[in-house]
Amino acid sequence: MLRLLGTRLAAVIPTLLFATFTIFGLQHIGPADPATLVLGENATEERIAEVREQLGLNDPLVVQYGKWVGRVATGDLGGSIIRTEQVSTIIGRALPTTAQLVLSGVTISVLIGIPLGILAATRANRATDVAVTSGSAIGVSIPNFWLALVLITAVAINWGLVPARGFATLSDGVGEAFRHTILPAFVVSMSGIAIVTRQVRGAMIEALNAPSVRTHRAKGLPWRTIVWKHALRNSAVTIVTVVGLLVNTTLGATVVVESVFAIPGMGSRVIGAASARDFPVIQGVVLTYVLIVLAINLIIDIAYRIIDPRIS
Amino acid sequence: MQHHGRNHPDHGRRFRRLLALLAVLTVVAAACGSSGDSTEVGADSNGSATEATTADGAEAPAGPAADLPAFAEGAAQPGGTYGGTLRIAHWFPPLSLDPHTGSSGADHQVLYSLYDRLVHFEYETLEFVPGLATSWEFPDPQTLVLNLQEGVVFHDGTPFNAEAVAFNVDRVQNHPNTKIPADLESVESVEVIDDLTVQLNLNKPDSGLVGVLSDRAGMMVSPTAAKAAAEVQLDATPVGTGPFKMVEYAAGERLLLEKNEDYWQEGLPYADGIEWIFTGDEQAGLNGLRAGDIDIALTVRDGAQIQALSSDPAVKVITSPSLNTDGCYINDERPPWDDVRVRKAFSMAIDRKTLADVLTFGQAEEAYLPVPPQHWSSSPDMVGVNGYDLEQAKALLAESGHDGMTFTMMSYQNPLQVRKAELLQEAVAKAGFNMELEVLELAASVPAMFTDFQYDMFCAPWTGRPDPHQTVTNMLGSTGYYSLREGDRAGIDALVAAAVATDDLEQRAAAYADLWDVAIGQEALWIPLWHNSSVTVTSDKVGGYNLNLLGKGQPQFAWIEE
């Protein structure tokens, strides 16, 4: 197990290096000089040169990258160049919000997606299945910013059931948190529901066609037990994989959805930072995303080796 | 970010997914970033490149302007209701709460509730009225004497006096991160005459200074707090003399203010507090307003939204003429744009009225000057000068020998801006211009045009300044950031200086008429397109929100009716 963990971790390193290089490179793609961004229109040449020196912009790119990685490795993400605030402070404030949203979204996806997938699989190629499958196709296709706008108008503005914008985390009380989370979480879960449904359906059809199922039926086991106990367990690897990937998908969805709901999470921060070309913030947030995605992938990898010993 | 499911993703797929995530994030971030476009052409060091407050407005009730009496800031109004907390949505989060080291054009609305300025103005005319300075005079054109309000204290208890003014002038000029030293470049030295009298000695006549003191440079920060703060920390812990003081701030999210009980202006403010909510997106503020958890949504620009809201009895749509004026900056040092006939031909090829109607749902008015007709420095003689005349445009271009010339206009990523550029492209093609269009990211656009001189032309809104002197030095003077001239042209620098040689408003207006005639009329150095309106939407319970010709709303003295 430890060896497995070791090799997996080692495999992550090249990805991480590539990702950090890309993230670091972001600020060198755009035409604007960070020093002039900091100083504004009336800056003198001397002052620009001074700030370029302070920001280390005169070093060769590789040296700058090395220094940046060195700092980041010790947890120092630097400070925002627009506001006097540490990037880690900004992320520390935004991450719990986004985490709550993502976890709620994934939970909704799973709670709705798994029963739907099983339903479709047990009625494969019949009307219910067709309805569920085409429903999930629609679910994947609906742009979530559009869905967000429609739901805000209907549920929040016209019916007044939940707030139209903003957020509350669990520290603001469970009730408040629930009222603020439910609508955006449903929006970010939409494509997740569809994905879970389709994956579970596929895996369950495969599992239900296995020779063992025929044996179980011949032995007279109730159909319900076969579906929920035996076939579902055999689909576990798929489900775990899908749930893991869902975290990644849902995380991506939050970027836009947070903006529509004006939720002060990671997505809103990265968009705000991008419009201000506040590179340290962009870099910090994107790096956090990358670390989350890599960590999730690692967990999936290990999880399905535990669930299914045949995978080595 | 929607994936069709796959059963057993291998590493390659996962890696691609990661790349896709990165790519999408970058694209999304860029796309959303450019919708945050209310910016000062250049006044922002941050991403908000230009004074590009877009006015994608729509038809809104024309009425309120006529119905409301004109108020100066700080005059208590009849019928105001005390108490309650105003919840104000501002789609563009302030970048700094320090008036001197920040520069984003969208910060002002927030700064007004925290800081008073030495000079305030009438909301609808922009005529200057007393602020922290009760009166001022120019004993000679190079001396400005300010008499200060007695008994004013900063939020931290520091007394406001002549010493504090001297400290602030020095801070504007010499703070390592000041963004506005140019505003006070005419101030040579400051003399403290007595506790409530301060004298600014100028190195040249500059009557525009009074207007400058109603902007960022006139916002007084507490010397105690500024000295105590490590360098630039004041941007998150503002200490002014304003009607509200800070309670809590989550940068980019929310700013909670409470009433300054010791406020020096009798009977103000009305509200017990203000909760600023920075939405990053105009739609979110309007949604909150319609759902009842926002009282004021500042600076609404979506024409379709404005139209929809106008028929909603639960909200008030307040449309105000503003200084915000769309126009084209030309790199006139570069041939063939150095030929005035080419510049005039371009101007005459544009049917301003039609384009503005199409683009803004009829909310903007055709412009022939960088200042709107409501402003004292406007000149009625300029109406129609270099206006739409396609035949004349063709003739001028042919005469210059550049018929069919190709040039590149740069625009930035924003649906309205791109649409505008495309409409212009089509319009000038009829006169014989082959205009190519390049669209840059907002933050990159201004430096590309004005620092690196990469393009022939850039058309963007200018948000305006309290005193026209700030506008003309920036835009037309040979040293201005938004002027692309390397030296003086047609004696314009002298005309710019002449307009601030006196503080008599009539004489100044006459001087501006001369300047407009030469710079905009004869030389066509900046091509005015249209004057935009500024729109704010409030719930029907909000009273005392005033129109404001500056275009930067001042909600600090509004109230909530029961």
Side-chain angles (χ1 to χ4, degrees):
Chain A
M1 194 66 223
L2 271 179
R3 243 185 74 202
L4 173 70
L5 196 63
T7 46
R8 288 295 145 199
L9 274 174
V12 162
I13 290 172
T15 317
L16 195 57
L17 276 180
F18 181 80
T20 51
F21 194 76
T22 312
I23 293 167
F24 176 77
L26 284 175
Q27 70 172 304
H28 296 276
I29 298 169
D33 178 352
T36 52
L37 288 177
V38 175
L39 292 169
E41 70 191 75
N42 289 309
T44 58
E45 292 295 328
E46 300 83 62
R47 185 77 185 121
I48 290 177
E50 211 177 296
V51 170
R52 284 189 63 83
E53 193 59 45
Q54 270 173 25
L55 295 176
L57 294 170
N58 296 325
D59 297 332
L61 199 58
V62 179
V63 175
Q64 290 186 43
Y65 172 67
K67 284 184 180 168
W68 181 73
V69 168
R71 280 208 327 271
V72 167
T74 62
D76 176 10
L77 292 168
S80 157
I81 59 171
I82 304 294
R83 302 191 176 94
T84 51
E85 203 173 18
Q86 287 299 304
V87 175
S88 49
T89 313
I90 295 172
I91 293 176
R93 216 166 50 214
L95 191 57
T97 297
T98 299
Q100 182 179 320
L101 186 55
V102 169
L103 292 179
S104 311
V106 170
T107 308
I108 295 175
S109 300
V110 169
L111 289 183
I112 298 181
I114 291 180
L116 277 182
I118 293 173
L119 184 72
T122 52
R123 288 167 176 71
N125 300 322
R126 304 220 305 262
T128 318
D129 178 33
V130 173
V132 170
T133 320
S134 35
S136 80
I138 294 171
V140 182
S141 321
I142 292 180
N144 49 31
F145 66 89
W146 178 84
L147 184 66
L149 288 172
V150 169
L151 288 180
I152 289 171
T153 307
V155 182
I157 297 174
N158 293 347
W159 304 338
L161 296 180
V162 294
R165 46 130 222 110
F167 205 67
T169 52
L170 286 173
S171 58
D172 302 309
V174 177
E176 262 313 275
F178 180 80
R179 271 164 41 78
H180 276 93
T181 312
I182 184 72
L183 207 55
F186 179 71
V187 173
V188 295
S189 75
M190 202 59 195
S191 67
I193 293 174
I195 293 169
V196 173
T197 306
R198 294 180 145 219
Q199 292 293 333
V200 170
R201 176 186 174 272
M204 285 294 286
I205 287 176
E206 202 181 313
L208 288 172
N209 285 332
S212 61
V213 168
R214 205 170 48 214
T215 313
H216 290 315
R217 296 197 75 169
K219 271 169 56 186
L221 271 182
W223 181 238
R224 196 187 305 143
T225 314
I226 295 174
V227 171
W228 288 93
K229 204 171 160 199
H230 297 279
L232 190 59
R233 185 176 293 170
N234 283 334
S235 314
V237 170
T238 308
I239 294 173
V240 167
T241 312
V242 167
V243 169
L245 291 175
L246 268 190
V247 175
N248 303 350
T249 313
T250 311
L251 191 61
T254 57
V255 175
V256 172
V257 173
E258 280 182 7
S259 286
V260 180
F261 281 91
I263 294 170
M266 304 269 285
S268 308
R269 289 292 80 83
V270 78
I271 284 172
S275 70
R277 293 182 85 80
D278 193 346
F279 286 108
V281 177
I282 303 176
Q283 289 168 338
V285 173
V286 177
L287 181 67
T288 310
Y289 282 140
V290 169
L291 290 177
I292 292 171
V293 171
L294 289 178
I296 297 290
N297 289 350
L298 195 64
I299 292 169
I300 301 169
D301 245 5
I302 290 165
Y304 54 62
R305 278 170 179 78
I306 294 170
I307 296 166
D308 188 345
R310 285 171 303 179
I311 302 171
S312 59
Chain B
M1 288 305 300
Q2 287 147 351
H3 303 292
H4 293 273
R6 290 189 186 101
N7 277 337
H8 291 280
D10 54 41
H11 286 286
R13 276 181 186 157
R14 232 169 293 149
F15 187 65
R16 277 200 298 278
R17 199 161 273 139
L18 168 66
L19 281 184
L21 174 70
L22 275 174
V24 168
L25 282 174
T26 313
V27 170
V28 163
C32 298
S34 55
S35 69
D37 53 13
S38 162
T39 35
E40 311 250 299
V41 158
D44 320 16
S45 64
N46 72 86
S48 358
T50 49
E51 272 215 26
T53 308
T54 57
D56 25 358
E59 209 134 356
D67 302 333
L68 296 176
F71 285 108
E73 331 169 24
Q77 300 179 28
T81 313
Y82 289 92
T85 295
L86 281 168
R87 296 158 303 174
I88 306 175
H90 193 21
W91 64 272
F92 195 91
L95 295 174
S96 169
L97 297 179
D98 183 332
H100 306 151
T101 64
S103 66
S104 165
D107 291 359
H108 285 74
Q109 286 93 328
V110 181
L111 296 177
Y112 289 137
S113 41
L114 292 160
Y115 299 99
D116 291 305
R117 291 102 69 217
L118 290 169
V119 176
H120 289 179
F121 47 72
E122 294 275 357
Y123 285 130
E124 286 184 46
T125 59
L126 283 186
E127 277 173 38
F128 302 114
V129 298
L132 288 174
T134 53
S135 65
W136 52 87
E137 61 168 338
F138 284 92
D140 64 77
Q142 289 187 217
T143 309
L144 173 61
V145 177
L146 300 162
N147 300 302
L148 306 179
Q149 183 73 38
E150 201 183 342
V152 178
V153 288
F154 288 97
H155 299 157
D156 61 359
T158 308
F160 167 76
N161 53 25
E163 289 290 348
V165 175
F167 174 85
N168 274 274
V169 170
D170 177 63
R171 189 168 190 267
V172 168
Q173 292 181 319
N174 299 319
H175 189 283
N177 288 326
T178 175
K179 296 277 167 48
I180 47 167
D183 280 3
L184 297 185
E185 67 179 355
S186 64
V187 179
E188 188 68 36
S189 63
V190 184
E191 277 176 53
V192 174
I193 306 289
D194 60 46
D195 198 43
L196 294 176
T197 314
V198 66
Q199 176 173 321
L200 307 183
N201 299 316
L202 314 184
N203 52 29
K204 61 185 175 196
D206 185 6
S207 59
L209 198 54
V210 174
V212 166
L213 295 177
S214 77
D215 205 4
R216 280 182 180 274
M219 291 186 185
M220 296 290 113
V221 308
S222 160
T224 315
K227 284 175 199 157
E231 283 286 291
V232 291
Q233 291 296 324
L234 223 52
D235 70 348
T237 51
V239 184
T241 62
F244 291 91
K245 45 189 178 181
M246 191 183 95
V247 178
E248 194 185 298
Y249 184 38
E253 295 166 25
R254 178 171 175 269
L255 170 65
L256 193 61
L257 308 178
E258 65 178 1
K259 184 178 187 168
N260 174 5
E261 297 291 351
D262 302 320
Y263 193 54
W264 58 278
Q265 300 202 79
E266 203 60 40
L268 290 173
Y270 294 101
D272 289 340
I274 295 182
E275 184 184 3
W276 284 92
I277 297 137
F278 308 116
T279 56
D281 175 84
E282 142 179 342
Q283 183 68 49
L286 292 174
N287 288 339
L289 189 79
R290 289 162 70 197
D293 62 350
I294 292 284
D295 301 306
I296 299 177
L298 286 178
T299 329
V300 180
R301 299 160 310 140
D302 181 330
Q305 283 283 349
I306 293 167
Q307 241 165 357
L309 288 163
S310 301
S311 57
D312 185 339
V315 302
K316 290 193 257 192
V317 177
I318 300 172
T319 305
S320 168
S322 80
L323 292 185
N324 187 305
T325 301
D326 255 277
C328 296
Y329 301 79
I330 298 173
N331 190 340
D332 56 280
E333 290 286 345
R334 183 187 296 186
W337 291 103
D338 56 347
D339 187 332
V340 67
R341 290 171 298 188
V342 176
R343 301 196 294 269
K344 283 190 175 175
F346 179 85
S347 177
M348 290 177 181
I350 300 164
D351 181 354
R352 291 162 174 73
K353 174 100 183 68
T354 308
L355 292 195
D357 279 353
V358 169
L359 209 58
T360 69
F361 293 72
Q363 210 203 359
E365 281 178 46
E366 50 198 303
Y368 300 96
L369 281 180
V371 291
Q374 292 84 354
H375 194 261
W376 59 265
S377 68
S378 180
S379 163
D381 298 342
M382 290 296 291
V383 174
V385 172
N386 297 335
Y388 182 51
D389 185 341
L390 192 55
E391 291 315 309
Q392 180 73 2
K394 281 183 193 164
L396 271 176
L397 192 59
E399 189 191 313
S400 74
H402 296 293
D403 196 12
M405 65 175 271
T406 298
F407 73 100
T408 307
M409 183 186 129
M410 185 266 292
S411 184
Y412 57 86
Q413 278 167 1
N414 166 279
L416 184 79
Q417 293 301 321
V418 172
R419 177 122 192 273
K420 176 177 81 180
E422 287 166 355
L423 288 173
L424 287 173
Q425 189 174 34
E426 209 175 299
V428 300
K430 290 181 193 148
F433 288 95
N434 179 16
M435 175 175 134
E436 283 166 5
L437 180 60
E438 259 184 63
V439 180
L440 296 189
E441 197 187 333
L442 175 71
S445 61
V446 168
M449 182 73 192
F450 301 104
T451 304
D452 303 331
F453 311 115
Q454 285 172 14
Y455 296 94
D456 296 318
M457 186 182 283
F458 178 53
C459 298
W462 172 257
T463 60
R465 297 289 188 282
D467 194 278
H469 186 60
Q470 296 163 279
T471 295
V472 299
T473 43
N474 264 306
M475 187 187 280
L476 301 169
S478 57
T479 55
Y481 182 75
Y482 303 104
S483 134
L484 292 147
R485 282 154 291 291
E486 278 161 19
D488 187 21
R489 173 88 46 98
I492 287 172
D493 281 357
L495 290 170
V496 168
V500 286
T502 165
D503 64 325
D504 181 274
L505 225 49
E506 260 175 54
Q507 287 179 36
R508 289 193 67 196
Y512 280 115
D514 292 342
L515 173 63
W516 302 139
D517 176 45
V518 174
I520 306 294
Q522 296 170 31
E523 290 289 327
L525 294 178
W526 193 78
I527 311 290
L529 294 175
W530 38 80
H531 301 297
N532 297 307
S533 305
S534 74
V535 178
T536 289
V537 184
T538 74
S539 85
D540 59 351
K541 293 192 178 63
V542 172
Y545 182 84
N546 291 289
L547 310 173
N548 185 332
L549 186 57
L550 187 62
K552 293 168 182 167
Q554 298 205 22
Q556 71 270 32
F557 299 131
W559 62 78
I560 303 167
E561 282 160 4
E562 276 321 306

